[in-house]
């Protein structure tokens, strides 16, 4: 690990343009469940097709809204971990920095990051399912996930939906374009805690590699990105990112 960490730290220290691209794994050590991991992933306990598609919301809005309200409540009880904080600091050290996340929690922002590109939306930006008018958040519920009837839109009365991107929906055009441009121009892209299975987000590190930038991957498990990454740092991001930050700073 020491040698690969040194190699990654040298890449970060000499880069002008740095991108950090994150997935659910960076929030795992804060207590937010990932999606696809055996035993602990959300899709082990819940059926993605019944919860994370527009068809599921049309079919049973109270089931879907209740599940997302439960997840919002959970996100409010947790805090950023040392991985989120180190990510903010690595980017603060770079000449030109972009943070791209697939996560719908706000833990990067709570760790001090600004201008975060959210490719899959947010638990904290509900909107009307018909006219897209932004809606206010209600107090978060207590306890386990349960059915909650979504409130009606102030303007048109249609049910309010979570501000996330479901399967089959387009990603926000501005955010995706900005992410692709940052990835294409990056000297270094650090991919953290993503299985790399969900497209088009999974293309982002591939764009950097194709354009000749270096990809560093931080993940305890192998992923389809392994062969594309210049350096694979195997381990939890709450340990690896602070170590990478320390090594990439000149010693005093
Ligand atoms: C750690 C760690 C620690 C653990 N430290 N690491 C066939 C082929 C290709 C594509 C498709 C296909 N069929 C359908 C598609 C398209 C589909 C897709 O990609 N499906 C694949 C799953 C097959 N994509 C879409 O539908 C997208 N839209 C689209 O394509 O639109 C086209 C269109 C264009 C124009 C008009 C209309 C349409 C939309 C995708 C939206 C994804 N949404 C979700 C849910 C968001 C809301 C919610 O939160 O509920 O986003 S799905 C879920 O997966 C969530 C995540 O952001 C996303 C990625 O997951 P992530 O972050 O990688 O998490 P995990 O759990 O997979 O991995 C965690 C990783 O962390 C693991 O590797 C661990 O090892 C690691 N880890 N602990 C560091 N401590
Ligand atoms: Zn409306």
């Amino acid at each position: 690990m020491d040698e690969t960490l040194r190699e990654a730290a040298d890449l970060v220290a000499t880069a002008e343009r740095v991108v950090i691209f994150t997935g659910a794994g960076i929030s795992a050590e804060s207590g937010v469940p990932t999606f696809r991991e055996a035993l602990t992933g959300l899709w082990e306990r819940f059926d993605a097709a019944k919860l994370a598609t527009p068809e599921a919301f049309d079919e049973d809005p109270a089931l879907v809204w209740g599940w997302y309200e439960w997840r919002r409540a959970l996100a409010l009880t947790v805090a950023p971990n040392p991985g989120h904080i180190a990510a903010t600091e690595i980017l603060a050290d770079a000449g030109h920095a972009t943070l791209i996340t697939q996560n719908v929690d706000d833990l990067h922002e709570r760790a001090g990051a600004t201008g975060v590109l959210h490719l899959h939306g947010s638990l904290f930006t509900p909107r009307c399912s018909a006219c897209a008018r932004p809606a206010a958040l209600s107090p978060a519920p207590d306890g386990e996930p349960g059915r909650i009837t979504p409130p009606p839109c102030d303007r048109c009365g249609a049910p309010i939906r979570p501000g996330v991107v479901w399967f089959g929906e387009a990603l926000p055009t501005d955010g995706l374009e900005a992410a692709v441009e940052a990835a294409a121009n990056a000297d270094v892209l650090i991919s953290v805690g993503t299985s790399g299975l969900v497209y088009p987000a999974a293309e982002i590190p591939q764009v950097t590699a194709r354009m000749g930038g270096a990809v560093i991957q931080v993940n305890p498990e192998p992923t389809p990105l392994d062969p594309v990454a210049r350096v694979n740092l195997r381990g939890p991001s709450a340990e690896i990112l602070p170590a990478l930050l320390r090594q990439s700073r000149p010693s005093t």
Side-chain angles (χ1 to χ4, degrees):
M1 166 60 81
D2 279 358
E3 211 171 291
T4 49
L5 185 65
R6 163 59 46 208
E7 188 184 353
D10 286 347
L11 286 167
V12 172
T14 55
E16 169 67 14
R17 291 174 173 267
V18 178
V19 171
I20 298 185
F21 171 65
T22 64
I26 196 169
S27 297
E29 287 154 284
S30 293
V32 181
T34 62
F35 292 92
R36 293 174 183 78
E37 284 179 281
L39 305 179
T40 56
L42 285 170
W43 299 156
E44 286 277 309
R45 272 177 77 193
F46 303 101
D47 182 349
K50 293 209 175 82
L51 292 161
T53 64
E55 293 77 19
F57 186 73
D58 287 346
E59 177 120 338
D60 194 343
L63 177 77
V64 173
W65 181 253
W67 189 66
Y68 279 93
E69 283 291 90
W70 166 70
R71 288 184 47 212
R72 178 168 70 88
L74 175 68
L76 289 170
T77 65
V78 303
N81 67 57
H84 295 103
I85 293 162
T88 306
E89 293 194 27
I90 289 169
L91 292 173
D93 286 353
H96 194 279
T98 309
L99 180 49
I100 307 167
T101 190
Q102 299 166 83
N103 296 345
V104 296
D105 62 46
D106 60 352
L107 292 177
H108 282 303
E109 283 84 355
R110 285 159 62 192
T114 53
V116 182
L117 300 175
H118 278 268
L119 296 185
H120 292 162
S122 164
L123 292 170
F124 300 97
T125 56
R127 65 173 190 272
C128 174
S129 57
C131 75
R133 180 184 175 89
L137 291 164
S138 322
D142 291 328
E144 284 295 294
R147 304 170 66 82
I148 303 175
T149 301
C153 171
D154 285 350
R155 182 157 60 195
C156 75
I160 298 303
R161 59 160 285 173
V164 301
V165 179
W166 284 322
F167 287 113
E169 293 187 317
L171 276 60
T173 312
D174 291 358
L176 183 59
E177 280 175 8
V180 170
E181 191 184 335
N185 292 320
D187 301 312
V188 169
L189 178 144
I190 310 171
S191 175
V192 185
T194 177
S195 58
L197 295 173
V198 177
Y199 283 81
E203 272 291 320
I204 297 290
Q206 315 265 1
V207 169
T208 299
R210 277 202 296 275
M211 297 301 285
V215 173
I216 297 167
Q217 180 174 224
V218 178
N219 199 310
E221 302 296 332
T223 78
L225 193 61
D226 282 23
V228 174
R230 183 97 51 98
V231 185
N232 281 294
L233 298 172
R234 215 57 102 200
S237 47
E239 288 171 24
I240 303 272
L241 287 177
L244 183 60
L245 173 68
R246 278 194 301 277
Q247 287 268 1
S248 65
R249 282 180 165 165
S251 44
T252 45

